[in-house]
């Protein structure tokens, strides 16, 4: 605890870095994952191959993935964001796809029959109905990025992992403890916040159920 | 025989100049890629504006496929469809669909939208003003018999029957000339189904929309239809009024389907008034008058002969007086009339 009290500014800055990294990963994951998921929802035969590729990416050990990307993206946050975004696709798309494909067919048929065009069907019907699952996916992405993101400190991406690595090298247990505590707080906060959004989205569709 | 019939019905289809609610199918065929047989096979038929027409036939005979080609959820391989004299492909597809109400068995209400939003979705797409939408909402709720306090509720808070009423209101929201209904009451329990059927008849007589109603339920078809299109294996087998189907079935399939041999069904399709009229034509109605000693049971011109039988049986008499709404005696009708009616061909209405 001593470490946290004496170096609050340092810890706060690393905390913010970690948050930024996580937000960047969520942003880029959505940028790729939402259209890709939509594509898979429309074109059934693409699902198998794409999901297996994402599965294979997900199994690459994180430290080696970071290091492998250094020749392309150099050191720092860029290879970290790229690797974490690549991992995130499996978690995000699997959930988003479930959300999109479990919408009652009658609902979509009614929407088509009433003359909503593709864009209107997406924004007014499919997106809100698949939103709880999308948020569940985002929550998993956030939690896994916060966790694996600590390792990214190894390639100079900053974040709370810095405290852990430095603490281990210098055998500073107070530093290690502070780092671990801060990561845990961030994880809990992210989990709680996104779960709250999820419940709100669910409530609109299913009513009082949770 | 069916081939002859189709070619003859095709001749009756001339250049389609018509009222906006008219639907014309001309040699419409559709085969799904996964099937070797056609789902709809050379169907030609003209549906008069304002009629409630039922598409009847066993499951898998192509009713849904034919219906969905009207609002272009399916595209025909061959043939043309006109509504109100316009070939349906001359309009942008979504514009066409917004002009046609569509009701399906599973209702398909949007679960994340209130009843109000569900119903007003097409008017909103069409850019109606808020005031007009609200007036319309109120009017529609009254029409389907639900309180306006339901407007802020969600579909999950309504019973199955209520949801289907909302589905109907949603389809009617932008005041379309044509309503397509695909087995809308099939998933509703028997009591509610009958109520919904009655309401639909009522609503049809008020609104004068062209309604194309799909069902595999013969009873339902006979309750609702002004005219019935009977389909089998993708082909139109017969198109006629319920009475025509019963009295002049095109073939054994129709005979079996509609129960042409069913005396009670025959009787239920004719009312007292047509007996009185038939008698007028033969001008022997006065001879049927009998002295009356204050009978308690009275028939009305609009009673069907099926209920006449039960009234006769209950009263224990051989004939009963017919009175109009002003209590004016119109004549007597009894067992002998029913017998005559069944022996001779039934009069058309
Ligand atoms: N989307 C589809 N894809 C392939 N075959 C279909 C499709 N829809 C209907 N069919 C087939 O077309 C035929 C007619 O089906 P349908 O119009 O649904 O009949 P109905 O509504 O009278 O029960 C059936 O043989 C059915 O299996
Ligand atoms: Mg069907």
């Amino acid at each position: 605890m001593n470490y946290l009290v004496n170096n609050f500014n340092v810890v706060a800055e690393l905390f913010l870095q970690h948050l930024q990294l996580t937000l960047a990963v969520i942003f880029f994951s959505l940028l790729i994952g939402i259209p890709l998921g939509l594509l898979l929802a429309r074109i059934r035969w693409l699902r198998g191959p794409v999901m297996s590729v994402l599965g294979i990416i997900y199994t690459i050990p994180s430290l080696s993935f970071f290091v492998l990307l250094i020749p392309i993206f150099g050191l720092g946050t860029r290879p970290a964001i790229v690797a974490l975004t690549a991992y995130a696709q499996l978690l995000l798309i699997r959930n988003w796809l479930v959300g999109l494909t479990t919408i009652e067919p009658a609902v979509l048929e009614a929407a088509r029959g009433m003359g909503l065009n593709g864009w209107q069907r997406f924004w007014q019907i499919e997106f809100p109905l698949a939103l709880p699952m999308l948020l569940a996916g985002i929550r998993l992405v956030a939690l896994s990025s916060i966790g694996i993101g600590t390792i990214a400190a190894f390639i100079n991406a900053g974040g709370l992992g810095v405290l852990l690595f430095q603490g281990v090298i210098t055998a500073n247990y107070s530093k290690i403890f502070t780092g671990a505590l801060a990561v845990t707080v961030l994880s809990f906060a992210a989990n709680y916040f996104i779960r709250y959004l999820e419940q709100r989205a669910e409530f609109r569709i299913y009513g009082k159920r949770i | 025989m069916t081939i002859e019939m189709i070619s003859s019905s095709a001749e009756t289809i001339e250049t389609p100049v018509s009222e906006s609610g008219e639907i014309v199918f001309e040699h419409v065929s559709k085969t799904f890629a996964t099937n070797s047989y056609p789902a709809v096979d050379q169907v030609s038929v003209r549906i008069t504006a304002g009629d409630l027409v039922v598409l009847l036939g066993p499951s898998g005979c192509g009713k849904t496929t034919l219906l969905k080609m009207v609002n272009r959820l399916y595209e025909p391989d061959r043939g043309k469809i006109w509504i109100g004299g316009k070939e349906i492909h001359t309009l942008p597809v979504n514009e066409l669909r917004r002009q046609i109400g569509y009701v399906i068995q599973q209702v398909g209400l949007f679960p994340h939208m209130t009843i109000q939003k569900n119903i007003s979705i097409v008017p909103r797409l069409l850019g109606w003003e808020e005031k007009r939408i609200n007036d319309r909402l109120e009017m529609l709720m009254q029409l389907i018999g639900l309180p306006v306090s339901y407007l802020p509720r969600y579909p999950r808070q309504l019973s199955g029957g209520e949801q289907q009423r909302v589905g109907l209101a949603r389809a009617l929201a932008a005041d379309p000339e044509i309503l397509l209904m695909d087995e809308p009451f099939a998933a509703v329990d028997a009591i509610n189904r009958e109520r919904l059927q009655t309401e639909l008849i009522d609503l049809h007589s008020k609104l004068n929309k062209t309604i194309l109603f799909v069902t595999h339920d013969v009873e339902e078809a006979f309750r609702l239809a002004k005219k019935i299109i009977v389909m089998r294996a993708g082909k139109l087998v017969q198109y006629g009024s319920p009475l025509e189907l019963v009295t002049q079935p095109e073939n054994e399939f129709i005979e079996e389907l509609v129960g042409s041999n069913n005396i009670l069904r025959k009787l239920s399709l004719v009312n007292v008034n047509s007996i009185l009229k038939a008698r007028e034509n033969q001008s022997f109605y006065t001879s049927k008058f009998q002295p009356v000693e204050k009978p308690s049971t009275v028939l009305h011109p609009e009673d069907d002969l099926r209920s006449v039988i039960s009234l006769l049986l209950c009263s224990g008499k051989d004939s009963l007086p017919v009175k109009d709404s002003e209590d004016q005696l119109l004549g007597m009708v009894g067992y002998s009339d029913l017998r005559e009616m069944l022996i001779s061909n039934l009069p058309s209405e």
Side-chain angles (χ1 to χ4, degrees), chain B residues 32 34-35 37 39 58-66 74 182-183 214:
Chain B
F32 288 101
T34 47
N35 297 341
Y37 55 90
S59 148
C61 72
K63 307 180 294 292
T64 297
T65 307
L66 187 65
Y74 292 153
D182 196 348
E183 314 218 11
V214 166

Side-chain angles (χ1 to χ4, degrees), chain B residues 50-221:
Chain B
D51 274 1
L52 199 173
V53 174
V54 169
L55 266 172
L56 176 68
S59 148
C61 72
K63 307 180 294 292
T64 297
T65 307
L66 187 65
L67 192 79
K68 283 187 176 178
M69 285 192 278
V70 177
N71 62 1
R72 290 184 58 192
L73 288 174
Y74 292 153
E75 294 292 347
D77 301 334
R78 267 181 296 143
K80 290 211 161 79
I81 301 170
W82 285 271
I83 65 173
K86 261 192 172 167
E87 209 285 327
I88 54 174
H89 292 84
T90 56
L91 283 178
V93 62
N94 287 314
E95 208 168 295
L96 173 84
R97 288 173 182 164
R98 288 168 200 177
Q99 292 173 16
I100 301 175
Y102 186 49
V103 183
I104 52 178
Q105 181 183 331
Q106 310 86 338
V107 196
L109 292 182
F110 306 132
H112 59 299
M113 293 183 189
T114 59
I115 304 308
Q116 168 158 12
K117 280 207 165 165
N118 263 284
I119 297 180
S120 58
I121 196 156
V122 176
R124 260 175 232 290
L125 290 178
L126 295 172
W128 286 21
E129 279 166 25
E130 207 63 22
K131 168 92 173 67
R132 187 171 170 207
I133 292 178
N134 289 336
D135 291 349
R136 184 77 189 156
L137 275 168
E138 208 167 293
M139 184 261 163
L140 285 166
M141 290 304 271
Q142 201 168 7
L143 192 71
I144 58 168
L146 291 181
V148 285
S149 62
Y150 273 39
L151 285 174
R153 295 201 188 175
Y154 284 88
R156 59 176 180 273
Q157 296 167 304
L158 271 56
S159 75
E162 289 169 340
Q163 288 188 16
Q164 195 50 278
R165 285 188 178 85
V166 173
L168 187 58
R170 182 175 67 172
L172 289 168
D175 209 13
E177 292 293 328
I178 293 172
L179 207 52
L180 306 176
M181 306 182 80
D182 196 348
E183 314 218 11
F185 307 146
V188 181
D189 64 90
I191 294 169
N192 264 302
R193 186 181 318 141
E194 226 169 87
R195 198 178 297 161
L196 284 163
Q197 288 166 351
T198 313
E199 285 172 15
L200 183 68
I201 295 170
D202 201 41
L203 194 138
H204 176 248
S205 64
K206 272 189 218 151
L207 299 183
N208 210 35
K209 309 267 179 213
T210 310
I211 301 179
L212 195 51
F213 186 106
V214 166
T215 186
H216 63 264
D217 178 352
V218 184
E219 294 297 328
E220 184 168 67

